[in-house]
Amino acid sequence: MADQQSPTLPTEETPDLPQDKKGRRKKLFIIFGVVLVVIAALVLAWQLIFAWRSVSTDNAYVGADVAQVTPLVSAPVSAVLVEDTQHVKKGDVLVRMDDSDARLALQQAEAQLAQARRRFRQTAATGQSLDARSTARQADIRAAQAQVDAAKANFDKARVDYDRRKALAANGAVSGDELTSATNALQTAQANLSLAQAQLAQMKATKNSAQSDAAANRALTSGTTIDTNPDVEAARAARDKAQLDLDRMVIRAPISGVIAQRKVQIGEQVAAGKPLMSIVPTGRLYVDANFKEGQLTSVRAGQPVELTSDLYGGDVVYHGKVVGLGGGTGAAFALIPAQNATGNWIKVVQRLPVRVALDPKELKAHPLRVGLSMEATVDVSGQ
């Protein structure tokens, strides 16, 4: 019994373990609170010192000046050579249309041009003929004038003979037969003179008519050649229009880009102006960043912009610049604008689109597509 040891009782030096854990936990909470205060202070300092240097928004989307491919003439489609998502270069053939009617129209226009050229040559030749006829009429006038002069001389001689015999007949020196012969000769000479004068007048009228015809013909060809004649030029313009319509039977890409919204099918009868497809110029994209109206105080054209895309994440940063600010908010240009003059009006913060140009080299390295979401940060420190 004496050798049996009694159990050891705790002394006052033994530490109270639960109380020690509470103390350490309290210290950790204090340290954590201090860290939070320091972080908040740093964030506040960053806001006060650096945040004013930029404005950001995630309400930004990729856009482009999409080219609409439309035919300029009406015809059936004979071949479609592209598909959606296909990349094309400027000048590549997209669609071919049946050109049978266009070829016939071109042949008809070429025939009309040849006829116009022939008519001009014929008119020019007719003018020369009319000039020669006018010259010939002048010779006829001279001959008629000579006949008038001869008839007048005969008339004067016949009148002198008649007057002499008439005077002698009163004394009985000339018989009645001689006086009758002289009278008949005078009347014949008078008739011949009148006929010669009429023929002269007719020759002069014929000459005037020939000169008028020649002048009218010269008016058709004066100051022009076979290439500058109005009728020939009109026929040539019709031929060129027919050739242009034939060339337009082959529709080519107006820009380089990616095919989108292809709607045309082989055999379809398309009308002029009907949209067939769109081409998105992926190398010339831009971003429309919609900033709140309170963020636009310091935004100016030419300021640098950093952008990130949801497609690539924050690892790829695009560098652009502000091109300009929109002329109105989205609400102002909406299909049904808001009517704020109502009794239940509630103020809504408006957003204004800011156009940002992208670097083509960066777009080539990391392509984007129209409509993708972007986050834009404008550096306004250099305002």
Side-chain angles (χ1 to χ4, degrees):
M1 300 286 301
D3 296 335
Q4 187 178 2
Q5 295 181 355
S6 60
T8 303
L9 299 176
T11 62
E12 295 181 357
E13 289 79 13
T14 302
D16 191 356
L17 293 177
Q19 292 294 333
D20 187 45
K21 288 182 178 180
K22 291 181 180 179
R24 286 199 301 270
R25 185 179 298 174
K26 184 177 181 180
K27 290 180 181 179
L28 289 175
F29 276 120
I30 293 173
I31 294 173
F32 182 71
V34 171
V35 171
L36 288 179
V37 171
V38 171
I39 292 175
L42 291 175
V43 171
L44 180 61
W46 185 88
Q47 291 283 346
L48 294 176
I49 298 175
F50 299 103
W52 64 272
R53 297 176 181 269
S54 63
V55 291
S56 301
T57 183
D58 58 357
N59 188 352
Y61 304 93
V62 179
D65 294 327
V66 179
Q68 292 288 338
V69 178
T70 59
L72 299 178
V73 292
S74 300
V77 176
S78 60
V80 181
L81 306 179
V82 293
E83 298 289 345
D84 280 339
T85 73
Q86 181 177 341
H87 191 277
V88 296
K89 295 181 180 180
K90 181 178 180 180
D92 287 350
V93 177
L94 307 178
V95 178
R96 294 184 185 275
M97 297 192 291
D98 188 354
D99 59 0
S100 301
D101 293 338
R103 291 186 181 277
L104 292 176
L106 177 59
Q107 292 176 2
Q108 183 178 4
E110 288 177 342
Q112 291 176 350
L113 176 59
Q115 288 179 354
R117 290 177 177 272
R118 181 175 297 178
R119 283 195 300 268
F120 179 84
R121 287 192 290 265
Q122 182 179 2
T123 302
T126 302
Q128 295 175 355
S129 175
L130 291 175
D131 289 337
R133 188 183 303 174
S134 176
T135 303
R137 295 292 83 78
Q138 183 63 38
D140 293 341
I141 289 174
R142 288 196 294 268
Q145 184 64 52
Q147 291 179 356
V148 169
D149 294 341
K152 189 175 185 303
N154 292 334
F155 172 76
D156 292 339
K157 180 178 180 301
R159 186 173 56 183
V160 169
D161 291 344
Y162 171 77
D163 291 340
R164 183 183 302 117
R165 284 172 173 75
K166 185 178 181 181
L168 294 175
N171 299 327
V174 176
S175 65
D177 291 338
E178 290 182 355
L179 180 60
T180 299
S181 298
T183 301
N184 292 335
L186 177 61
Q187 292 175 350
T188 300
Q190 176 68 43
N192 291 335
L193 176 60
S194 298
L195 178 61
Q197 289 175 340
Q199 290 177 345
L200 175 61
Q202 182 180 2
M203 291 298 103
K204 289 183 178 180
T206 302
K207 177 188 175 183
N208 291 335
S209 177
Q211 288 179 338
S212 298
D213 292 341
N217 187 272
R218 281 195 300 271
L220 297 175
T221 59
S222 177
T224 63
T225 63
I226 192 171
D227 292 324
T228 60
N229 180 260
D231 292 337
V232 175
E233 288 185 337
R236 186 186 300 112
R239 190 275 313 270
D240 294 342
K241 175 63 168 55
Q243 180 66 57
L244 184 60
D245 290 342
L246 178 60
D247 295 339
R248 285 172 173 171
M249 292 295 156
V250 178
I251 301 178
R252 300 180 181 274
I255 60 174
S256 299
V258 175
I259 299 296
Q261 297 180 315
R262 200 204 84 169
K263 306 173 184 177
V264 63
Q265 301 296 334
I266 296 177
E268 180 181 356
Q269 176 73 31
V270 296
K274 177 184 177 181
L276 303 182
M277 64 189 71
S278 301
I279 301 180
V280 180
T282 54
R284 292 181 294 169
L285 301 177
Y286 56 80
V287 171
D288 282 333
N290 303 298
F291 286 93
K292 295 179 181 179
E293 48 191 321
Q295 296 178 294
L296 298 172
T297 305
S298 302
V299 176
R300 301 288 185 273
Q303 292 173 336
V305 184
E306 291 187 353
L307 306 103
T308 57
S309 169
D310 292 350
L311 177 64
Y312 299 107
D315 295 336
V316 177
V317 179
Y318 296 88
H319 299 83
K321 66 177 180 178
V322 176
V323 177
L325 281 70
T329 64
F333 293 119
L335 183 62
I336 303 178
Q339 295 297 325
N340 292 329
T342 58
N344 59 349
W345 172 77
I346 298 175
K347 181 178 180 180
V348 178
V349 177
Q350 301 297 312
R351 290 180 179 267
L352 189 74
V354 176
R355 179 64 57 88
V356 179
L358 298 175
D359 187 350
K361 295 181 179 179
E362 295 179 347
L363 284 174
K364 185 176 182 180
H366 298 90
L368 295 172
R369 291 297 184 267
V370 173
L372 292 179
S373 300
M374 303 286 288
E375 183 173 349
T377 301
V378 181
D379 184 0
V380 298
S381 61
Q383 57 176 324

